Amino acid sequence: MGATVSGPLVVVGDALLDRDVSGVVGRVAPDAPVPVLDERSASERPGGAGLAALLAAAQETEVALVTGLADDAGAARLAELVTGAGIELYPIHLPGATAEKIRLRAGGQTLLRLDRGGDPQPPDEPAEAVLELLSRARAILVSDYGRGLVRQATLRAALAEATAPVVWDPHPRGPAVVPGVRLATPNLTELRALTGDAGAGSGLSTATRAGHELRRRWRVGAVAVTMGPDGAVLCHSGGTPLVVPPPSPVAHVEDTCGAGDRFAATAALALGDGASTAEAVQAAVEAASAYVAAGGAAGLHRAPEPPRPAEAARSAEELVAKVRADGGTVVATGGCFDILHAGHLATLQAARRLGDCLVVCLNSDRSVRGLKGPERPVHPEQDRARLLAALDCVDAVVVFDEPTPHQVLARLRPDVWVKGGDYAGDGAPELPEAELVRRWGGRVVTVPFLAGRSTTGTISAARQRGLHLVKGAV
C-alpha cells in the first residue's frame, strides 16, 4: 500500500433526507384493513450520498460532500445533519423540493416507505469552490442516486479531469461514468438493469458476465459487483474474476440500508491511501459486512456498546462456562503455532478428542520474540489466530502476552492441558504448567506427534533451499 495522500475524501451525488418512524403494531384500523402503527420514536439522518459521506466520516477521516440542495426546510435539516457530523458541505442549488424518504417500521421491519420531493430538477452550475475541491481530493466517490446531479456537464468535466482515484456507485437511472474511473460498484440488481442482462445462471456467472460487459462498455478500470451476503465479485482486466466472500456469515440481518454506501466509501478511502483495487475491494467487503452485522443504518442511532478489549478471552471464558454447565470436559493446549504444519494439526486433533471443547492458548508476537528471538514470529498473531480458529478441531483461541500461559490457564482452569509428544519421553522435564493445572484438579497429558515436523525445521529447510521467508508473506 502506498503513502497516504493528503486532502479529503470528496463524495459527489444526490443527498436525501431519511426519516425512520418506529413503533408498535397492536391493532388494525377500523376504517381499513391496515395495521395501525403507534409511534414510539423517530430519527433523521442524511440519505443517499449524504449517508455515504456520513459513513466515511465515521472512519475518522476528512470528508466533503458535494450535493444539490433546494430552498426548503428539508434541505436546511439535511445541511444541519451533514455539518453536525463534521462533514464539509459544498451545496449546488437545486430547483424544486428536497427528496425525503420516510420509513414506517415495527419489530425491526419496514411496513411502508413514503417518498417526497417529486420529480428531480436539473441543478445549477457548481461554484468555483466545488471545482477546486475536486482538484485537491484524496479520493472521490460518486454516489449516484438517479436524481440528476452527476449529469451536470461542468461537474462531469471536473470529475473526468480529477487526478484522485474515482469510485462510481451507479444507479440504473443515472448516466454512464466519466472517463478515467478506477472502480464502479453496482449491486447485482443494478448491474442487470445497466447491462440488460437477463441473469441466466448463478449469481456468480451473472456478475462475471455482466460485470465484464459493463467494464468494457464504460471503459472503467474495474467493476466490483456487490452480492449482499455473498460478498463481492471483482471484474478487472484479467479474465478470471476475484471473488471476495465476507469474513463470516451474518446470522441476523436487521437493516441492509447503506451497506452499498459503506462498501463504496471504504473502497474509495483505500484507493486514496494507495491500495490496489483488489485490496480496496477486500477492505470494502469486510467493512460492509461489519456494518450490516451491527444493524446497518438502524445501528447508527443505537447507543454504542461498551468496549471489550479482551473479546477473544471473554468468548473463550463464555465457551468454557457453557461446556462446564453442560457437564463437559474442557481441553486446552498452547504454543506459538508460527508456521502451521502437519505436526501441529496432529496435536490439535488429538487434543480435541480428549474432551468437549478445545481452547488454544496462543503466544503473542511479543511473547514469541522473547522465546524465539527477534526474527520470529514469521506470521503476526492476528494471522496465526485466524488460521487456528478456522480449524474444525479448535473451538476458541486466546492470545497471551506473557512468556508462559500461566495467567490464561488460571483464568480458564481447563480440565486437561495437552502438549505434543515432543515434550514426553524418558528424562524429559515436567512441564512448567503442570503444578498449576493440578491445583484445580486438572490433568496434564501429552499426545503423539509427527516426527520431523517443526517450525524451526521448516524455516531452516526453506533457507537451505534458497527461499527467504519474509514476515507477512504467504
Side-chain angles (χ1 to χ4, degrees):
M1 187 176 289
T4 301
V5 179
S6 61
L9 168 69
V10 180
V11 180
V12 181
D14 310 292
L16 320 168
L17 181 59
D18 278 357
R19 187 167 187 261
D20 284 358
V21 178
S22 298
V24 177
V25 174
R27 57 197 172 98
V28 175
D31 55 341
V34 294
V36 175
L37 179 69
D38 290 326
E39 182 175 342
R40 294 289 188 268
S41 64
S43 60
E44 293 176 321
R45 66 173 181 272
L51 179 56
L54 186 70
L55 295 173
Q59 300 181 61
E60 299 182 355
T61 189
E62 184 184 359
V63 179
L65 173 64
V66 176
T67 192
L69 289 181
D71 295 322
D72 58 12
R77 178 57 177 155
L78 184 54
E80 181 183 19
L81 291 169
V82 168
T83 56
I87 300 167
E88 295 181 72
L89 181 61
Y90 288 77
I92 299 175
H93 181 258
L94 193 66
T98 298
E100 298 182 44
K101 292 182 179 180
I102 303 170
R103 299 191 301 169
L104 305 181
R105 295 172 59 83
Q109 301 294 324
T110 299
L111 306 178
L112 178 70
R113 195 183 89 184
L114 171 65
D115 286 3
R116 291 176 177 168
D119 294 332
Q121 304 294 321
D124 292 354
E125 285 284 320
E128 188 62 34
V130 171
L131 307 181
E132 189 274 334
L133 172 70
L134 293 173
S135 69
R136 61 180 177 86
R138 162 187 172 192
I140 299 171
L141 168 60
V142 177
S143 185
D144 185 8
Y145 272 77
R147 294 191 65 83
L149 182 78
V150 294
R151 291 185 182 276
Q152 210 284 332
T154 304
L155 188 60
R156 288 181 66 81
L159 290 169
E161 294 171 1
T163 57
V166 178
V167 173
W168 197 291
D169 195 9
H171 192 282
R173 293 197 302 269
V177 305
V178 299
V181 165
R182 183 82 63 85
L183 179 68
T185 62
N187 63 39
L188 186 59
T189 301
E190 291 167 341
L191 178 67
R192 290 178 56 189
L194 288 164
T195 60
D197 194 293
S202 66
L204 174 59
S205 64
T206 300
T208 302
R209 181 178 62 247
H212 280 301
E213 170 60 26
L214 188 66
R215 186 182 64 81
R216 288 189 292 268
R217 186 182 300 180
W218 279 357
R219 297 181 180 179
V220 296
V223 173
V225 186
T226 55
M227 307 283 287
D230 295 324
V233 177
L234 177 62
C235 301
H236 43 70
S237 57
T240 304
L242 173 68
V243 178
V244 184
S248 59
V250 178
H252 172 66
V253 178
E254 182 176 323
D255 185 4
T256 61
C257 178
D261 298 306
R262 185 76 167 88
F263 179 96
T266 301
L269 283 169
L271 291 173
D273 285 344
S276 68
T277 303
E279 291 170 335
V281 171
Q282 290 177 62
V285 168
E286 292 179 4
S289 299
Y291 170 79
V292 173
L300 295 175
H301 306 288
R302 196 173 289 154
E305 295 184 1
R308 301 180 72 181
E311 185 70 40
R314 193 180 302 264
S315 298
E317 289 169 358
E318 292 169 351
L319 169 68
V320 168
K322 183 178 185 306
V323 170
R324 284 219 173 92
D326 293 338
T329 298
V330 176
V331 182
T333 190
C336 301
F337 297 97
D338 193 2
I339 298 179
L340 201 60
H341 53 70
H344 289 142
L345 185 60
T347 296
L348 293 169
Q349 289 174 330
R352 181 61 178 82
R353 288 193 289 268
L354 297 177
D356 300 288
C357 74
L358 174 62
V359 179
V360 176
C361 303
L362 180 68
N363 295 74
S364 71
D365 291 349
R366 185 168 72 174
S367 178
V368 174
R369 282 193 295 271
L371 295 170
K372 306 289 186 180
E375 294 186 356
R376 299 278 297 275
V378 173
H379 296 300
E381 61 196 58
Q382 296 91 340
D383 289 358
R384 292 184 283 127
R386 186 174 179 181
L387 284 170
L388 288 167
L391 299 175
D392 291 341
C393 55
V394 175
D395 298 285
V397 179
V398 180
V399 179
F400 65 91
D401 222 19
E402 300 77 29
T404 70
H406 282 65
Q407 290 188 26
V408 68
L409 283 174
R411 288 200 314 270
L412 298 176
R413 300 168 68 91
D415 302 300
V416 184
W417 174 246
V418 179
K419 295 297 284 185
D422 49 340
Y423 287 87
D426 294 337
E430 186 174 58
L431 291 171
E433 309 91 57
E435 181 182 352
L436 175 67
V437 173
R438 293 193 189 107
R439 290 178 189 173
W440 55 80
R443 292 176 292 133
V444 178
V445 304
T446 59
V447 294
F449 72 108
L450 296 179
R453 274 78 166 184
S454 74
T455 299
T456 301
T458 300
I459 295 174
S460 176
R463 285 174 175 164
Q464 290 175 5
R465 293 169 187 165
L467 301 175
H468 302 286
L469 294 176
V470 180
K471 283 189 176 184
V474 177

